[in-house]
Amino acid sequence: MRRSLRTVLAPAVTSLLLATTVVTGSAAPAAAETPDCPWVDSDAPVEQRVQQLLSRMTLDEKLDMVHGAAAPLQFVGPTYAGAISEIPRLCIPQLGLTDGPAGVGNGHTGVTQLPSPMALAASWDDDLATRYGATIGKESRGKGADVALAPTVDLLRDPRAGRSFETLGEDPHLTGELASAQVRGIQGEGVLAQAKHIAAYNQETLRNLPANDAKVDQRTLQEVYLSPVQDVVDAGVASVMCSYNRLNGVHACNNSYLLNQVLKGQFGFEGFVTSDWFATQASHAAANAGMDLQMPGGCHYGPRLRKGINSGAVTTATLDGMVSRILRPMFQFGLFERDGGGSPDDVVTNPDHAELARQVAQQGMTLLKNDDELLPLGEGTGSVAVIGDAAGKDVIGSGGGSPHVIAPRIVTPFEGIADRAEQAGADVAFDDGGNAAKVAADADVAVVAVSKWSTESKDNDDIALSDQDTKLIERTAESNPNTIVVLNTAGPVEMPWIDDVAGVLAAWYPGQEYGTALASVLFGDSEPGGRLPATFPVSQADMPTADHERFPGGSYDEGLGVGYRWYDREGIEPQFPFGFGLSYTTFAYSDVQVRGDGAAGTTVSAEVTNTGDRAGSEVAQLYVTHPESDREPPKRLEGFQRVALEPGESRRVEFELDDRSLAHWDTDGEQWVRSAGDYPVAVGGSSRDLPLESEVSVAETTPVSEPTPPPPPHAPEGDDPALTKAGNVLRCPAESLYSAVLGGISLFGLPPGKQAEETPDNPTADG
Ligand code: BGC
């Protein structure tokens, strides 16, 4: 199937791409100290340097700063995803942008294939997320790039979404926290982070076409989809990417409410907004709506924007504002003084980064079922059968599309288990599925690896495993009661076989160190550290977006009922709830305490004790319930903390509330408000296991944000009138063609890129 798609698509894609110029990705030449460029190596405040440089720029130079240099080959690479050209006359270096959220993509080799963001989210670990971001930052910089197109802050609204693996799960708070930690990590390495994609970009079907219109009420938009964006803005993110979809009828990259009023006004974002690739669909209206940088080409923001400036449709002040927003972080991050450094040919992966990949994979692995404490495998395990091509040649380390990263080599589940079993003196057998029943019957324990592919550019039809994988699990389980299923999937899948197997471990897309991490968890060298960042429903029919009108239809009328908030509100029992994950030890919660009146700084704390006989970590979670008049879902996650405990050890975890923790969006006043009333708070180990309860009382209703500012002048809401005219297509034919092709591709997808430089394989007969 995949091979035939490649055959069908290859000629079309190649001919399109041949019409483009490749961004070479060479590092910028050193912006040497020169008397002509007093803003370089200057101690003057950034703002002064920006103004100094701006005053010397011609109109052409300003226009060159607000669009990409060429249409690149980012899916076939290796190349940068895009670049702004250098302007040597003014000592402005090239600005190279590279994907993405799971490590350096765009076809580069010599990089570390990190576990997917979903796997990172399952770790519920800020510190790990900062180190994950730092690894992306280091490797992007090592390749000579200046901007990392990461993190992804889109929520998992429907697990069928092609990019589900790239999200940090279904909850705005968890996403906001982990994305902010990544921003700090990336930017700490001197690389600009670009959070993407705003807003309400939750599907691939018909992307970038007018029909892909997310109809979201303002309250849901603010509380759910934009909340993580506000968090990364607060964390100082340098840039933000606007998305392919329309938002309430207006294209996101052309949406003045979203970009001018909310992002730049309400959130106070000072960096630049970049269009997603080929998502610029207007010239004057986009500039006036607050989009600063067109990527990857320049028809809209080149000749057409010049006309707008000349005719007065776009003011010079607007263009100056756009250029300044790009120059400002370039100064702040020292890009004018950087001496080139990395190059696309450099090998940037190293053992430390591989070790980080292993830690994230291991800590994200989420144990969902473990009958009779079958795991961890002990000394009594004499033999293990490893079953399924997903444990060998069909292993998935990384999902598809722009977040795809090529590993030097993936440690397959079979390799990892075989290595570890040898140390334990256990025998290991492999079967690709043909003889599973026999091979499983002969072993003490059977580990069945199954997978499901997910990629940018195409949504999946369902959340079911293939018939082949389902039968493989059933056949194995019939012949061995000690069957453990390892899920190598983007996110939630249905498990009609759940009662027949002894164990289930969600491994997600775990990156290049998969097998090592898996073996270490199975044999108990480390614990399964993960907790679910997304609800696993019993059936797809239970999902909030099961209705076609909602997905991919674009109606967001489930409102605030996203993820567990839906299951709670509708009283639906999930297969496994949000926040859930088993440990090899047990924990108890006691002594909840609340200090404060609900304002920022209020704390909720509780004692967590490891009541088992192994060391282990728990993710303590705080959920808040609003007074009924707020019309919120039954509970919202407002705090979490990972805590490592020795057997018998207790520790107090403390959650500090911020301004928005108890607030809701008041649509009439267009601001966040904390209502007077009692807010039950609950603490525990998952959204459905909350043994401790208390209450925060708020005495007075208080607005906790300024209202969204009104639209600025020169920012008419709506698309460029010319957009609808054939003339617009004729003026920017390449952009228009690409833009339409993206929608077409979403109907059948793109072939998957290679997983690793060294192709993964099944073990040979002699092991
Ligand atoms: C994706 C972005 C990505 C860009 C550049 C687009 O197709 O939506 O997430 O950063 O390509 O590769």
Side-chain angles (χ1 to χ4, degrees), residues 313-577:
V314 179
T315 65
T316 306
T318 297
L319 179 61
D320 285 354
M322 293 156 67
V323 175
S324 308
R325 281 176 174 273
I326 297 166
L327 290 176
R328 206 173 283 135
M330 289 179 71
F331 281 117
Q332 283 161 346
F333 281 72
L335 302 189
F336 281 77
E337 289 78 24
R338 202 163 281 173
D339 61 358
S343 129
D345 298 329
D346 289 352
V347 171
V348 294
T349 185
N350 62 39
D352 287 348
H353 297 181
E355 171 55 18
L356 188 269
R358 189 198 61 75
Q359 272 179 36
V360 176
Q362 174 258 303
Q363 208 168 295
M365 281 189 189
T366 311
L367 185 61
L368 299 175
K369 185 171 185 191
N370 188 21
D371 279 357
D372 302 325
E373 298 184 4
L374 175 60
L375 294 177
L377 300 178
E379 279 165 13
T381 312
S383 56
V384 182
V386 180
I387 292 175
D389 282 334
K393 72 179 178 58
D394 290 345
V395 64
I396 303 176
S398 177
S402 60
H404 183 70
V405 178
I406 301 171
R409 170 167 210 289
I410 298 180
V411 183
T412 65
F414 175 78
E415 288 169 337
I417 292 170
D419 267 10
R420 181 60 184 79
E422 195 181 352
Q423 288 169 38
D427 293 334
V428 175
F430 174 81
D431 184 77
D432 64 4
N435 207 13
K438 164 89 177 68
V439 175
D442 290 346
D444 293 337
V445 173
V447 176
V448 194
V450 289
S451 64
K452 187 173 174 75
W453 178 241
S454 198
T455 178
E456 172 180 347
S457 80
K458 175 95 176 75
D459 294 324
N460 283 328
D461 293 335
D462 52 44
I463 59 163
L465 293 175
S466 68
D467 287 351
Q468 202 185 341
D469 275 347
T470 304
K471 285 192 187 117
L472 186 64
I473 293 170
E474 286 166 357
R475 279 207 314 275
T476 310
E478 266 166 30
S479 57
N480 191 326
N482 294 333
T483 292
I484 297 153
V485 177
V486 178
L487 296 171
N488 185 192
T489 66
V493 287
E494 291 170 344
M495 305 181 200
W497 35 261
I498 185 76
D499 293 335
D500 304 331
V501 302
V504 180
L505 186 69
W508 320 106
Y509 290 166
Q512 66 180 43
E513 304 300 319
Y514 179 12
T516 313
L518 176 65
S520 135
V521 168
L522 293 177
F523 284 87
D525 306 328
S526 51
E527 58 179 338
R531 301 293 184 269
L532 290 182
T535 307
F536 276 53
V538 173
S539 146
Q540 181 172 317
D542 294 341
M543 301 188 312
T545 40
D547 189 328
H548 187 79
E549 292 285 303
R550 290 181 178 160
F551 186 94
S555 164
Y556 280 57
D557 64 358
E558 75 279 12
L560 303 175
V562 176
Y564 61 92
R565 301 168 193 223
W566 165 266
Y567 295 87
D568 288 352
R569 189 177 81 188
E570 305 296 317
I572 300 171
E573 196 60 36
Q575 184 75 61
F576 295 109

Side-chain angles (χ1 to χ4, degrees), residues 114-131:
L114 297 170
S116 65
M118 182 71 88
L120 174 70
S123 78
W124 293 61
D125 188 333
D126 284 351
D127 175 57
L128 202 59
T130 306
R131 289 191 281 138

